[in-house]
């Protein structure tokens, strides 16, 4: 069997460049991010109907770590919780991004129901789904002082003339990865 690695690498490079070009074009047509204060202590007050969207890219930002935490100690705290609560699926901790007092907590995407994904992050659905599990933070006085904002935008694939599901999936993943690489969130991983 002859395998022409250079040929396949060039072919893949061409495909990736087309996807990146489409990402740039699409990003110019996507509406600006909206912001809401995200009080997970009083999650009943969060207007979940406003979040009844699909094909969303979102960012959780910490506006206040409270009196006892900063970005580094926050990462350490979450890692200790992850280490002791193996059944709960917390996101990956990126301690290396905490050095410059980073306040971006998490960047994600939701192709399905964004409202349901937020319910997962609140910890109202299942411990077996990777999410922030915010309700579990309430057991810890230092974590319950953390204040969050949620930024989100919905992508109208019809308006972008992106019909094929795989193309939609690739586009939203590339956009999320671009944000992840720029903002370097404290929690979560890119390209999944």
């Amino acid at each position: 069997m002859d395998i022409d690695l250079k040929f396949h690498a060039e072919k893949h490079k061409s495909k990736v460049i087309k996807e990146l070009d489409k990402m740039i074009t699409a990003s110019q047509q996507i509406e600006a991010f909206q912001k809401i204060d995200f009080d997970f202590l009083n999650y009943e007050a969060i207007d979940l109907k406003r979040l009844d969207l699909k094909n969303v890219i979102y960012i959780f930002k910490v506006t206040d770590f409270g009196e006892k935490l900063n970005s580094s100690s926050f990462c350490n705290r979450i890692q200790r919780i992850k280490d002791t609560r193996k059944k709960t699926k917390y996101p990956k901790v990126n301690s290396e991004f905490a050095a410059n007092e980073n306040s971006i907590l998490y960047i994600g995407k939701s192709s399905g129901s964004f409202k349901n994904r937020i319910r997962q992050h609140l910890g109202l659905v299942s411990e077996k789904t990777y999410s922030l599990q915010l309700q579990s933070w309430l057991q810890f006085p230092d974590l319950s002082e953390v204040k969050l904002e949620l930024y989100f935008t919905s992508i109208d694939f019809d308006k972008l003339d992106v019909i094929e599901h795989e193309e939609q999936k690739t586009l939203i993943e590339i956009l999320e990865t671009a944000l992840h690489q720029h903002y370097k969130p404290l929690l979560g991983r890119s390209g999944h």
Side-chain angles (χ1 to χ4, degrees), residues 16-190:
V16 170
I17 288 172
K18 285 179 186 175
E19 289 172 349
L20 293 173
D21 286 343
K22 190 156 215 157
M23 176 196 67
I24 299 295
T25 302
S27 65
Q28 294 167 341
Q29 298 177 38
I30 295 171
E31 294 186 24
F33 277 75
Q34 299 176 50
K35 176 186 94 163
I36 61 172
D37 290 328
F38 197 83
D39 184 0
F40 63 91
L41 290 170
N42 301 308
Y43 67 86
E44 296 94 357
I46 298 170
D47 184 6
L48 289 177
K49 288 180 185 174
R50 183 175 170 194
L51 307 179
D52 199 6
L53 304 165
K54 291 185 178 186
N55 301 316
V56 174
I57 296 175
Y58 59 96
I59 299 172
F60 279 102
K61 179 181 179 188
V62 177
T63 58
D64 186 357
F65 282 103
E67 290 183 23
K68 299 174 185 166
L69 296 174
N70 60 33
S71 58
S72 291
S73 59
F74 170 84
C75 285
N76 292 336
R77 185 75 166 110
I78 295 294
Q79 187 60 57
R80 284 194 311 273
I81 293 168
K82 275 185 68 156
D83 291 344
T84 58
R85 295 181 171 202
K86 302 274 187 206
K87 290 183 181 179
T88 304
K89 302 293 186 181
Y90 291 101
K92 177 183 178 225
V93 176
N94 303 312
S95 299
E96 68 276 15
F97 298 153
N100 296 324
E101 290 304 308
N102 186 0
S103 63
I104 301 300
L105 178 64
Y106 185 90
I107 296 173
K109 65 184 178 314
S110 176
S111 297
S113 171
F114 181 47
K115 179 172 70 172
N116 286 343
R117 183 64 179 137
I118 293 303
R119 290 176 48 76
Q120 290 171 347
H121 282 303
L122 283 166
L124 302 176
V125 180
S126 170
E127 293 181 329
K128 297 184 186 321
T129 301
Y130 282 100
S131 64
L132 296 174
Q133 303 290 344
L134 293 168
Q135 289 305 294
S136 72
W137 293 16
L138 301 179
Q139 300 169 29
F140 308 99
D142 53 350
L143 290 177
S144 63
E145 290 181 8
V146 173
K147 304 285 185 249
L148 302 176
E149 291 175 334
L150 173 63
Y151 294 81
F152 63 94
T153 188
S154 180
I155 301 169
D156 184 346
F157 285 117
D158 291 334
K159 182 177 158 185
L160 298 175
D161 199 29
V162 177
I163 308 303
E164 185 185 312
H165 178 71
E166 270 310 304
E167 191 177 2
Q168 292 174 358
K169 184 179 168 187
T170 298
L171 183 60
I172 201 168
E173 196 167 287
I174 290 171
L175 290 166
E176 180 209 21
T177 298
L179 290 172
H180 198 280
Q181 289 178 355
H182 176 76
Y183 288 108
K184 301 182 182 335
L186 300 173
L187 301 176
R189 57 190 177 94
S190 173

Side-chain angles (χ1 to χ4, degrees), residues 2-12:
D2 272 346
I3 299 174
D4 187 347
L5 186 57
K6 182 179 180 199
F7 169 78
H8 293 293
E10 287 290 336
K11 190 174 176 182
H12 183 70

